[in-house]
Every structure is written in structure tokens, then in C-alpha cells.
Amino acid sequence: MTMESDTEALRRRLDHLPPDRRRALERVLRARAEPPRSTAPLAPRPDPDAPAPLSYAQERLWYLEQLYQRRDIFAFPTASRLHGPLDLAALRSACADLAARHDSLRTIVTTIDGRPAQQILPVGTVDFALVDLTGTDPAACAERASADALAGFDLATQPPLRIRLYRLADDDHVLVVNQHVAVADMPSRAILLRDLWNRYEAAAYGTAPPLPTLPIQYADFAVWQRDRLDGQRLDRLLDYWQQYLRDAPHKLAIPTDRPRPARHEGAGRFYYDTAPDGLGERVHEAARAWRTTPSVLLLACYRLLLWQYSSQEDIVIGVPKSERAHPETEHLIGYFVNVLPLRSQVRDTDTARQVIAREHAHALAAYARQELPYERVVRDVNPVREAGVPPLYQVSYSYLADDGTGLPLAPTGLRGEPFPLRSEGTEYDLGVNVLHGAQLGAQWPYNDDIFDESTIVTLAGQFWALVAAVVDDVDTPVTALPVVHEARTATAPTTAAGASAASGRRTPVDSPLSTVPAAAAALGPIGRLLSTAPPGSALADVDAALAEATGAELIRVPDDGSDLAALVDRLRPGLLSATVPLLARLPAGWRAPQGCALLAVGDLHRAAAARLAERADVVWYGCLRTAGGLATVGRLSVGPHRVDAGRPLAPLRAWTAHPSGRRLPQGAFGTLHLGTTDAAEAGEPTRWYARIRADGRVELVGPADERTVLRGVPLHPGEITDLLVECPGVRDATTLTTADGTLHAYLVLDGTTDASQVRQRLAQRLPGFAVPGLTVLPALPYTADGYVDRAALPAPTADGRTGGRAPSGPVEQVVVDAWRDLLGRAPTQVDDNFFDLGGHSLMLQQLSARLSEAFGGTVPLIELLEHPTVAQQAQLVTELGLAEEPA
């Protein structure tokens, strides 16, 4: 009997238990599963005048702000348009009363011995101002208010509350209450507006109901939070999370529109979407029938979405949970949020029901142990770090049941309505914040460094399609769930017959050269075609067919490149057809004469594409089919995206597939397949690992058979190659998966660098296990069609890696001493990693403070994160010009 059938049998037995016996069993199981909870009282701290620590969640936000040096992504504004006679003096008084009632709104962050602490400013500290925009258009007011709000806060000097009143007319105002997110969870926003309007009504009308008493302040909660966990409770919590997250993949391989930068540079964006009518109620009904919650059901569907796009079985999703479990926190303004890294799996053999059941079990176990702060989980699990990648999880999910009450946008005597502002800010790659009320909707925060809005729109649509399919039939195999795979054909004319008629030549649609008429139509008049392809190669056949289809004069020349530039200058062809490596061997600075376009095929990485684009006014790039002929063609463009191979040529359609053969949604990376119909079984696999963008263009990464999975994360060596060729001094490179599953790269260098320097640069961008071995060659071998000849590459060799050396010299010694003071032990090798020795994010901030003091200048936190070894940090200090006189 299988594990799943055992589970089903047990569930059936439980279903037949009498209610009293079932409740008794649940109590016993909960007692066994849950560690004993802390009984520490939540009460005012003994010395209210002493600096208090930040809460764990505040500490994480403070660290991220120091890391990114960004204020806009931590602003949390609420805006309402107020119609009617507004009493300005009463509003000003209400703002002061609000800040006096809640210490958190008067709190700045100071540092004591490198650690952040709360400092509460005196009563009367409130940042309120009237901005007179009389006669201004509301749209202009929204832009001004958005800019003001996104200016954010300097928590070292400014309290985390700023209130601005924009006057449009005597009876028309816009009120913006802006909070730093460190004092603003979702309930805090409603509490703030309730208290504000209560105090306004008291000041304006002389009466208002009394506000609830606050038995504690937020700083009291922060002190209690740090004191409550100790002994057996802490040990059992740590043991659970360490076991649960052991060997979890350090990131999610979701396809992006652009490669991830080393640093988060974008503003972050939000996309809002609603589900089809009636889907919200169907979710409620399905959850009741399956004995789970709507939140868990939708979380499982979100995980299915991520699985479809990433082809990654094991996924960690960050799920925020409220820490307002104690009645003392009910009416407080503050950030009462903990994040649970929920890990679960989706397997090809699963049904949707099995995925939901697994999600339900993992969620219940995690909720029972949510007391351990996320920041402590990260510290003790010590996940793999990678530049630009948040630790443990990069995608988030939240669920809010909307009871329809809404926010109190105006006091008695005024009419309020929401006033939309421009929203920015997310430190993660992707999230979905579900709002489930009369209508089911979602907000999708996303990192605009790596995603376009069109991609998020597609993901949102696919999410609702998955939800609908799951609630319709929960026993559907996950491989049979719907995917978005709009097939795209390319350049006009859209049919092979039409293109052939235009050229006077007909080609069977199932022949290797059936795409030539469409290619000819795309390239336009050629006149004279200069072909460098050797006879018998696939490119030579394409060139001959193109010349015939367009009526061009075909001239064949040797492909040795010796006199090719001079020949092109003399013959001035309309099109030069050649492989990428041949074009790369042309003299530096040579450019095709005006009117001569280039058609290139073969392996192409981003750096080579940038150089190739400089060779002519018009450069075409295409993929060859496995059986010969062109599969795609497109104008080569240079940008932050991957190599763009154009659209599939008619009559071909294109899609991608998982190694198991499962068809993938449009936009997901997989083996590129081509066919003349939408039927997957009728298609032919190509050599390419690729994705099809929303506009139908094909992005290439490299050979499909090189795809691998490292520590649970799907990876293609072509991604490593793109990083290699960005290193100064690297002229050409390719990366392969070796027989033992590791990575090895072959480099061609220009003499200005060496393999060890290249390896150091890679180590700043990649986790250690993904840094490949390196072999330096004078040139890479290529086939006649421009592909790296992997069979001709030498066997991987030792690349100079050693066990490292002991730290030496005054700069490295200062770094070692700082590490010893913080970690309690000294590194023994210059390649020792700060995090591997027990360092964590807050300790890294302390290291920044100590090194800055020791060397008499600022050593930025983010630079230390990107340079985690002794040698790298010593080199960093030297490059910053601070190494002359260590204190």
C-alpha cells in the first residue's frame, strides 16, 4: 500500500469517529506536536526611560534599509480625500494626541555598540503640515503626495509618522498618513485612523467615546519578545525549524524577464487583479468540503503556479503571520508580524488533492511553532547566501478575509473616499496578497529589476485558471492542470504557402527548409548573399535556399576569416551569412559597409551579442533546426535581457517542455520544441534550453542537455557563462555540466586577468557550490554551424584551487580581529566565509561599524555582504582607499 493510500485510509477512519472522540484525539495530537508555550507575562518594562531593543521584525526591516540604502520601499502611506468643512486646528490637535498615545509613533532608532535600539522622543513630537494646492488638479495632487510619501524616513533622526494635508479647496482636502512599515502592520492602519478621528471629533465637537486603555507600549512588546524564549521551548522550536528547512533549496528558479542584478535597484511595483465572478464562493465551498481553509487552498494553488513556471519540486514561500495573539496588543500601533518560511513539494505524480493535503499538514505544523521569529530562524538555519537573493525565500503569500468594514476614512461630519497614490516597494521577487471577501482579488508585488508587468499579468491569469481547475476537480493530476501556452508564429506572411507564393517557390511544410520562405520575407531583398558556410553544413543549405527564394546572387567564400573583412568591403553584399565565432574573429573595430546586413547562427552569449551588434547597422540572429533549416530569426538587440533569437518562422509553432516531456507554460524555461500544429506529440525537440516571451520571441540560454539541478535548484550552465563573460579580461567562455554533476567552465582570456581573479569575481555573485572549475584555453573549438564542439574540449583539469592560505598582513589581521570579537573564534583561512562561521545579518552590520571605525572610513554593509571572505573584505578595504593606516 502506498503512503498516499495509507493517508486516505486513515482519513476515512477519522471521518467515522464520533465527535467527542475526534475532539479528544485532536487535543492529544496537538499536545504532542506543540512545544510548551511561553508563559512570560506581557507587561510594561521595568525602566521605560532606558533604550529598548527593536523587535525581531523591526530589526530585519532596519537591516534591509541599511543594506539597500533605500527609503521608498519602506513607506506605508494611507490617503483619503475628505469632502466637507474640515477643522484644521482640531486635526492638528488630534495628530498630537495620536502621537502622544502611541510611543511607537515617536520612536527613532539609535545604535548602541553597533546594535539598533529604540529611543522614544518626548510627547509633542509630531510631523504635521498643511500643503496648499488650491486649484490644483487631483492627478497633480496625487503625484505630489506620492513623491512626498515615497521620500520615506530617516529612522536615525525622524519619527516614523508623517501627516500631510493637501488643500484642493476650502471643503476639499487630501489627507496622507504616512508610516514607516516598521510601525505599520495592516491592523495598525485601522487603529491609527480610528484613534485619529476619535481625537478629532473630541477636539472639533467636544465629545467622543473614550479610547481603549493601552496596558503596554510597543517597546514593552519588543523587550518581552526577546525575554520569553528560553530553555526547552527554544530548543524544541529551533530543532523543528532546523529539521524542517534542512537542505531546502536556497532560491526559487522562477523565470525572469531580465537576469538578476547583484543589487536590488528597482522601485518595486504592484499589480492588482480580481478573480472571475463566483470563484471566491467556490473556493469557500471547496475548502469546507476538503476540511481545509481557503487560505491553505489558495496557497497550494500558488505553489502549483510556481512549480509550473520553475520546474522546481521543493519550494519555500514566506507567509506572514500576525503576532497579535495577546489582548495587550489589540489596540497598539506597531509591527506585529512574523514570517513563516513554509516549505512544501509538488511532484509530477501528485494530484491537486495531494498537494493541498501536504500544504495543510505543513501549515498546521508551522503555525503551531510560529513563536520563533523569522530572524532567529535565518540565523540558526544559516541558509546559503547569494548576491541579490534574499535568504530562505524570495516569494511571499498572504491571505486576508475581508469582512467588508473597510477603513475609517473620515470622521463624523466629513465624507471620505480612498485617494490612490503611486505605490512602490518590495524587497522580494514576487508575492500575492489575496483579499477574500464578496469579491476574490489579489495584489501582486513584484521586483521590477527582473519582471515586466506583462509577465505578472500572465501569472495572475494563470493563477486564477489553476484555482478554477482545482476547485472543479481536486483529483486532477498536477501534470493535467491548465497552462498558458499560446503558440506564436512569426513574421508575415504567416503561412508557408503564402510566403512561397510570394517568392515563386513552394516548399513542403514538413521539410527541413520549409521555413525558408518566411525567413526570406523577414530578411527582405538581399541582392547578393555572401555565404561562409562550408559545403554540407546546415547553414550552407539555408544560404542556398535563401538565395533561391529571394533571387539573390550566391557567392561562397572560405570560412577561415583571413580576408573576409576585405572581401565584404569589396563585394558589398546585401547579406553576409556566417557563424558567431567567425564573425568574432574579424578584425577589431571592423564594421560591415552600409547596406550590408549580417545573418549569424551558433552559440551566442550576452557579451558576444553586444559585440556582434556593433558589426553592422542590421544584424539578424537565428536558430538552426535539429534536422536543418532555420527555426527562428530576429533582429539582434542589445539590452539587459538574454539572447533574443526572434520568433519561430512559419509554419512552425514553438513551446517549451520539461525533461519529463510535460509541456510548460509560456515564459517557462525548458527544451524548445517546434511543430506545425499545437499537438505536443507532433513536435520536434531542439538542442536549445529556452523560454518564449510574452511577445512570442525566443530567449536562449544554451544546449538543453546541459540543464542540471544543484541542491534542489534547476540551473543551466549558460547562466554561469553569462556571468563569466561579464568579468573583465574574459573574451569567450562556455560552461558544462560534468559527469559527476558539477560545473566546469572553459575560458579564453585576453591577458589582462587570470583564472584566480575570475574565480574571485564569480564568488561574489554565486554560492560556493555553483562556482565552476576553470580551464583556460587559447580558443574554444566550434563546429561548422557555430556551436561549441564539446567533444573537442579537453577533460576538466585542476584550476589552481587550494586549501587556501592563512591570513597575513596588517589589513587582513584587522579583519580577522573583528571577526574574532564578533564570532568568538578567528578564521584560519583567507577564504573562510563570515556566514559559514556563524555570522548573520545583524552581526554583519556590527562588522561594518567595527571595520569603519578601525579604518577611519565607511565600509558599506552591502559591500561586506557581497564580499564575505577575509581576503575579499581586506581587498575591499584596500579598494575603498582605507587600508593605509588601520587604527
Side-chain angles (χ1 to χ4, degrees), residues 604-622:
L604 184 65
H605 48 66
R606 283 207 309 267
R611 294 192 291 265
L612 185 57
E614 297 295 322
R615 293 292 195 181
D617 292 335
V618 177
V619 179
W620 299 93
Y621 177 73

Side-chain angles (χ1 to χ4, degrees), residues 190-238:
I191 294 169
L192 186 150
L193 291 175
R194 179 203 65 187
D195 289 5
L196 177 66
W197 296 134
N198 176 280
R199 294 296 84 204
Y200 174 88
E201 291 170 9
Y205 311 135
T207 180
L211 289 171
T213 301
L214 299 182
I216 63 167
Q217 292 289 339
Y218 187 78
D220 302 323
F221 167 80
V223 171
W224 169 83
Q225 184 189 49
R226 291 179 178 273
D227 291 343
R228 66 175 171 164
L229 291 178
D230 56 15
Q232 182 185 14
R233 174 68 180 169
L234 177 60
D235 291 343
R236 292 181 66 176
L237 287 171
L238 288 173

Side-chain angles (χ1 to χ4, degrees), residues 329-514:
T329 65
E330 182 181 357
H331 302 292
L332 271 182
I333 291 175
Y335 192 63
F336 297 93
V337 176
N338 192 22
V339 178
L340 304 181
L342 292 190
R343 178 188 186 186
S344 193
Q345 298 76 32
V346 180
R347 305 183 180 96
D348 279 7
T349 55
D350 284 337
T351 64
R353 183 190 298 275
Q354 291 168 326
V355 174
I356 294 169
R358 193 177 297 130
E359 196 77 61
H360 185 91
H362 286 310
L364 285 183
Y367 295 165
R369 297 163 177 84
Q370 69 183 59
E371 268 187 279
L372 190 68
Y374 169 76
E375 294 69 31
R376 185 65 190 266
V377 172
V378 174
R379 171 180 168 180
D380 287 275
V381 171
N382 194 21
V384 171
R385 259 74 170 191
E386 181 176 347
V389 179
L392 277 186
Y393 73 92
Q394 301 82 47
V395 293
S396 63
Y397 168 88
S398 70
Y399 176 91
L400 181 63
D402 182 13
D403 60 7
T405 56
L407 291 172
L409 296 177
T412 301
L414 297 176
R415 180 172 60 86
E417 63 185 18
F419 189 77
L421 298 182
R422 175 163 46 90
S423 297
E424 297 180 356
T426 177
E427 67 266 32
Y428 297 101
D429 291 351
L430 178 69
V432 57
N433 302 323
V434 175
L435 185 64
H436 198 173
Q439 177 76 36
L440 178 60
Q443 175 200 63
W444 296 78
Y446 64 96
N447 180 353
D448 58 339
D449 283 336
I450 56 177
F451 288 117
D452 294 327
E453 184 177 86
S454 60
T455 296
I456 308 304
V457 172
T458 300
L459 286 170
Q462 175 67 4
F463 176 66
W464 300 129
L466 279 172
V467 173
V470 168
V471 299
D472 280 347
D473 185 359
V474 72
D475 292 311
T476 301
V478 295
T479 54
L481 290 170
V483 296
V484 175
H485 52 73
E486 293 183 10
R488 304 279 181 156
T489 55
T491 50
T494 58
T495 67
S500 300
S503 65
R505 179 178 182 270
R506 299 191 68 83
T507 305
V509 295
D510 57 351
S511 79
L513 298 177
S514 62

